Amino acid sequence: MEMDGSSENAWWTLPENFDVPFVTFIDEAQEEHIFGHEDLYLRSIELHSNTLIQLEKWFSTSGQTRVTVVGPLRAKQWLLDMIRSVGSHQAYFQARGELMLHLVRSQPLTNSDLDAAFSTLIWPDL
């Protein structure tokens, strides 16, 4: 994934990365768990995933936060999968989500990270 801010091929210079934002809703506890108190980890998650994330707190009447993600398709899919996994009621997916969360907070995602996540993805019918 391209991280060079001076590159003319940086993800944010490609219009297709802004065409179809991914949107999901999460509750306050999940939002704080993923992005940290006062969004402490938001910037590192954005930098490490090559995405731009907008959090709209208290968006719905039930107090959920709307999460909008723009960026390269595979990175958006990876983040959505991580969010779904962290919020899953199944232990396997929760553990997988926690590993993904730790990874994206601590280092830039590589193509290998993205490939590994999608090669093991088996979501049950929800």
Side-chain angles (χ1 to χ4, degrees), residues 54-90:
Q54 180 180 14
L55 302 175
E56 294 178 79
K57 299 172 194 245
W58 312 115
F59 182 78
S60 69
T61 56
S62 61
Q64 291 186 315
T65 298
R66 182 167 80 174
V67 181
T68 305
V69 182
V70 297
L73 179 61
R74 288 180 1 135
K76 292 186 299 188
Q77 290 172 325
W78 191 96
L79 284 175
L80 188 60
D81 181 37
M82 182 268 298
I83 290 168
R84 285 182 68 188
S85 294
V86 166
S88 175
H89 296 293
Q90 296 183 17

Side-chain angles (χ1 to χ4, degrees), residues 7-19:
S7 173
E8 59 189 52
N9 292 325
W11 75 266
W12 59 87
T13 65
L14 304 174
E16 62 268 19
N17 290 330
F18 294 88
D19 285 347

Side-chain angles (χ1 to χ4, degrees), residues 96-111:
R96 182 175 179 272
E98 291 299 323
L99 290 172
M100 294 170 80
L101 179 59
H102 175 73
L103 178 67
V104 74
R105 280 183 181 171
S106 63
Q107 64 191 35
L109 297 177
T110 65
N111 284 327

Side-chain angles (χ1 to χ4, degrees), residues 19-67:
D19 285 347
V20 182
F22 279 16
V23 178
T24 190
F25 295 86
I26 58 177
D27 64 34
E28 181 182 9
Q30 186 178 4
E31 180 224 335
E32 188 162 316
H33 176 72
I34 293 171
F35 299 105
H37 181 68
E38 297 185 6
D39 305 330
L40 176 67
Y41 303 112
L42 176 61
R43 185 69 183 132
S44 64
I45 292 172
E46 289 177 321
L47 286 173
H48 293 160
S49 65
N50 286 327
T51 60
L52 188 67
I53 302 168
Q54 180 180 14
L55 302 175
E56 294 178 79
K57 299 172 194 245
W58 312 115
F59 182 78
S60 69
T61 56
S62 61
Q64 291 186 315
T65 298
R66 182 167 80 174
V67 181

